């Protein structure tokens, strides 16, 4: 069984920063990728940033240059540093872990950016 525990969401003013964390535990073998998605009200869930196999990082165009994904392999934890936040970044952020083609999701953490 795989578990993902997220933390770090909250309310911030436009231009501010937040850091999200996601710790994975359980049967973590054959990982294809780990990262972050988000879902705003009335919109589909979308990729934010992720580590793919081989350590390649992939970012959504909308966050490129503002968000940074990083990881601590010893702790099975991935982070998302979010800078220069704007109201369009408001969403529930979900941690994603892909193992052998199967997706696991965290419970989600709310990020709200006020103008």
């Amino acid at each position: 069984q795989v578990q993902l525990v997220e933390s770090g969401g909250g309310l911030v003013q436009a231009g501010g920063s937040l850091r999200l964390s996601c710790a994975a535990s359980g049967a973590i073998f054959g990982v294809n990728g780990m990262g972050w998605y988000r879902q705003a009200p009335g919109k589909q869930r979308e990729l934010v940033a992720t580590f793919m196999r081989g350590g390649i990082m992939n970012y959504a165009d909308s966050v490129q240059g503002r968000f940074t994904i990083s990881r601590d392999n010893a702790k099975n934890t991935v982070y998302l540093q979010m800078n220069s936040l704007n109201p369009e970044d408001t969403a529930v952020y979900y941690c994603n872990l892909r193992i052998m083609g199967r997706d696991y999701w965290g419970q989600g953490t709310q990020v709200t950016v006020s103008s």
Side-chain angles (χ1 to χ4, degrees):
Q1 185 132 3
V2 174
Q3 287 188 323
L4 301 172
V5 178
E6 301 146 338
S7 61
L11 173 65
V12 65
Q13 288 188 333
S17 298
L18 284 173
R19 188 190 192 212
L20 306 182
S21 300
C22 173
S25 61
I28 308 171
F29 305 104
V31 175
N32 301 122
M34 187 173 183
W36 295 92
Y37 286 69
R38 68 186 180 187
Q39 188 166 17
K43 294 187 177 181
Q44 290 189 331
R45 192 172 296 189
E46 63 177 4
L47 169 76
V48 177
T50 189
F51 280 105
M52 298 186 292
R53 208 165 197 175
I56 298 172
M57 291 177 282
N58 186 30
Y59 290 94
D61 289 343
S62 59
V63 307
Q64 187 80 39
R66 300 188 297 123
F67 291 10
T68 302
I69 190 170
S70 61
R71 62 186 178 183
D72 184 333
N73 290 333
K75 296 181 180 179
N76 290 322
T77 299
V78 65
Y79 305 95
L80 185 68
Q81 178 66 43
M82 304 185 292
N83 298 329
S84 302
L85 285 159
N86 59 61
E88 290 70 38
D89 297 315
T90 295
V92 178
Y93 284 69
Y94 294 93
C95 181
N96 170 265
L97 179 65
R98 180 165 293 177
I99 298 177
M100 299 180 70
R102 178 176 176 178
D103 284 313
Y104 296 86
W105 298 95
Q107 78 281 4
T109 185
Q110 177 70 45
V111 171
T112 302
V113 185
S114 62
S115 57

